[in-house]
Amino acid sequence: MLSPRHRFSGVLLVAVVALLMALLSLSTFMRDLDGRSFDYLSTAAPTLPEQPGITLIAIDEPSMDAIGQQWPWRRSQHAELIGQLRKAGTKAIAFDVLFAEPSDEAEDQALVAAMGPDIVLAADESLIERPYGSTLVRTEPMAELIAGGARSGIASLSMDGDGVLRNMPIYRDGFMTTLFELADGTPAPQSETVRRIQHFGAAGSYPTISYYQALDPEAYLPPNYLKDQIVVIGFALQTNADVATGGIDAFETAYTLRSRQLTPGIEVQATIFDNLRTGLSISISPPWLSFVVIALASALALLVSRPKAPGRKALLLALALLAIIGGSWLVLQFGRFWIGPVAPSAALVLSVVAIATRDFAGEQRRGREVQNAFGQYLAPELVQKIADDPELLNLGGVNRELTILFSDIRGFTSIAEAMKDDPQGLTRMINAILTPLSNIILSHGGTIDKYMGDCVMAFWNAPLDDPDHALHALEAAQEMLAEMDNINQAIQTMLPEGANVPVIRMGIGINTGTCVVGNMGSDRRFDYSVLGDAVNLASRLEGQCEEQRVDILIGQTTVSAAPSFTFRKVADIQVKGRSATEPTYSF
């Protein structure tokens, strides 16, 4: 169960990461990444119109060879093309070529004469930056062409900061907007906000014929090929449509990431036309909605981070990332709405990393706390086990059945008197007695509660479970008694010359019963200890050893819990604080 403080720290971390990612999402770097993610997802199984709404007439290399002229071609050549297209039954004709400046008067008049209400000519709008300010310059076709019946529309396109064309033009009199209204007879759909282009394929996806073929449709095209078609005429020079070299009127689009090819301007214009015609252009989420999604993705990290197993956590993280990316694609595919997955995915990953870092630091801190708290009480392997899995440790007071051992050295008073002039030596002697006894307790899985002079208190079955706690306590007691010969030999070598002290003995009291175990003390200082009647009885049993002339007294409950041991009954004794007698046993 997570503590309120732990949960609060997780929420705080998530909130900080969400705020950071919300701010970063406004940066150029994140916008570029968002654009790249749009390129990938919008071109993955894109929604396609039933059929293209535009046929392209390409000013391409074969046409250059067939016509045998350098660009710009004679304007009478374009007038001838218009005548052939009308003869072939085209519905509308758009020139993605800017006829802004006069050329030869006769040539210009030939083109003016070919104008009509079925013609749309490209205009241009550009922003010129000067040291003293910016100027928006609009370049229109020659006035005579417009007077001849043609309409004009701005063909300028705006790229994102990374040079990729993703957004629909926002001009109300845009090139394709004007063509749509001419061909459809209804106003083109308008949007007050920027929308993104749904591209339908890499360069070459639209039906395209060469300019020279359109000059003689009967010779080069199937019958009625151009009947009722909307055609766009412009450059499609493949030798200049490479990403590495750049080129004339060719653009990086969402498909460039996959195809490594630029898309001719006329094909981009055709794509814009079909976005208007089919309503497949894509809305962009407002900043506030993006911030909400980032916050939700960060909050998702709280669930992803709950499993302790790294494998499960990594699996949940991978599934969550797939859900974010897949959700972004589904909303794009079926809702025509773009919510970039990069910032939410980054927020999720950063939040998971932040929580994992906090948890790792907390585990390290808790490990040190466990080492500090139990290093003196438990065997090193048990301390490490608790440090590896702190849930094994309940630091609050709990009721548990424990086996408690009290041991006291008999005859230590005479040793202390012999060593009264050597306190350092007396300390070394106490350590020589308590160290081997403590090692025996720890080796049998016991927890040392405290030292009281030459007395040791220990217990089994806390903080780690020990189903055979009574058996292990009895085995430790046997080994402690057997160790007394070695302890007496060590003491003799440490006594001053001439000192005559009797051989020391040990009294041990062992009892089993339900106790309260946990951290006990004040807010400033506490110990992991036990309380309960079973503890008091174990202490009283140890105190009765000398009177009963035995080295160990064992309570009835402990005897019942260790049937593999052989015991002999010593006496029924009445201990202080109890009215009833207590049967006691020894080995």
Side-chain angles (χ1 to χ4, degrees), residues 30-43:
M30 289 299 293
R31 285 199 298 267
D32 289 347
L33 287 179
D34 179 82
R36 290 301 184 187
S37 66
F38 174 82
D39 296 343
Y40 273 114
L41 295 182
S42 68
T43 56

Side-chain angles (χ1 to χ4, degrees), residues 52-97:
I54 294 283
T55 297
L56 305 179
I57 298 178
I59 301 173
D60 54 11
E61 289 84 358
S63 298
M64 294 283 186
D65 291 339
I67 293 174
Q69 298 177 22
Q70 293 294 320
W71 186 263
W73 293 337
R74 293 178 294 106
R75 289 183 175 174
S76 59
Q77 186 80 68
H78 301 309
E80 181 184 350
L81 175 66
I82 293 171
Q84 290 292 342
L85 293 176
R86 285 174 177 154
K87 183 180 177 181
T90 54
K91 186 176 183 180
I93 302 168
F95 273 90
D96 192 13
V97 178

Side-chain angles (χ1 to χ4, degrees), residues 176-301:
M176 289 296 103
T177 300
T178 304
L179 180 62
F180 176 86
E181 293 176 350
L182 186 156
D184 196 68
T186 60
Q190 298 289 338
S191 175
E192 297 298 325
T193 58
V194 175
R195 297 177 69 87
R196 287 196 165 168
I197 302 170
Q198 173 63 68
H199 290 275
F200 305 116
S205 298
Y206 272 81
T208 304
I209 60 176
S210 292
Y211 188 103
Y212 80 92
Q213 293 174 317
L215 282 173
D216 191 359
E218 293 182 357
Y220 293 105
L221 301 176
N224 298 320
Y225 183 80
L226 293 174
K227 185 175 178 57
D228 296 325
Q229 292 294 309
I230 301 169
V231 297
V232 176
I233 303 155
F235 292 100
L237 301 172
Q238 294 302 313
T239 55
N240 289 321
D242 188 83
V243 173
T245 62
I248 299 173
D249 198 28
F251 301 88
E252 283 194 52
T253 68
Y255 271 95
T256 301
L257 203 59
R258 299 175 184 271
S259 67
R260 304 304 298 163
Q261 290 290 311
L262 300 178
T263 300
I266 53 172
E267 192 161 350
V268 170
Q269 297 290 356
T271 303
I272 293 170
F273 180 90
D274 275 339
N275 274 252
L276 293 171
R277 181 175 65 91
T278 61
L280 290 175
S281 63
I282 299 159
S283 298
I284 303 175
S285 62
W288 68 265
L289 181 57
S290 297
F291 296 161
V292 170
V293 175
I294 288 171
L296 292 175
S298 298
L300 183 60

Side-chain angles (χ1 to χ4, degrees), residues 308 366 370 382-393 464:
K308 290 187 175 296
R366 286 191 295 272
V370 169
L382 296 182
V383 176
Q384 187 61 49
K385 187 175 181 180
I386 295 175
D388 291 340
D389 188 2
E391 288 190 355
L392 295 172
L393 177 63
L464 298 180

Side-chain angles (χ1 to χ4, degrees), residues 454-514:
D454 59 340
C455 179
V456 180
M457 174 185 171
F459 54 87
W460 278 257
N461 201 31
L464 298 180
D465 291 337
D466 182 1
D468 298 320
H469 50 91
L471 178 64
H472 294 153
L474 292 168
E475 290 173 344
Q478 275 188 331
E479 192 171 337
M480 291 166 71
L481 293 173
E483 184 65 19
M484 290 307 300
D485 288 341
N486 295 329
I487 290 175
N488 275 296
Q489 291 177 14
I491 289 175
Q492 293 300 321
T493 63
M494 300 172 70
L495 289 170
E497 289 187 18
N500 185 18
V501 296
V503 173
I504 64 172
R505 301 184 65 186
M506 181 190 299
I508 297 177
I510 296 180
N511 187 49
T512 299
T514 301

Side-chain angles (χ1 to χ4, degrees), residues 520-526:
M520 301 183 190
S522 68
D523 292 339
R524 291 178 171 270
R525 181 177 176 83
F526 54 84

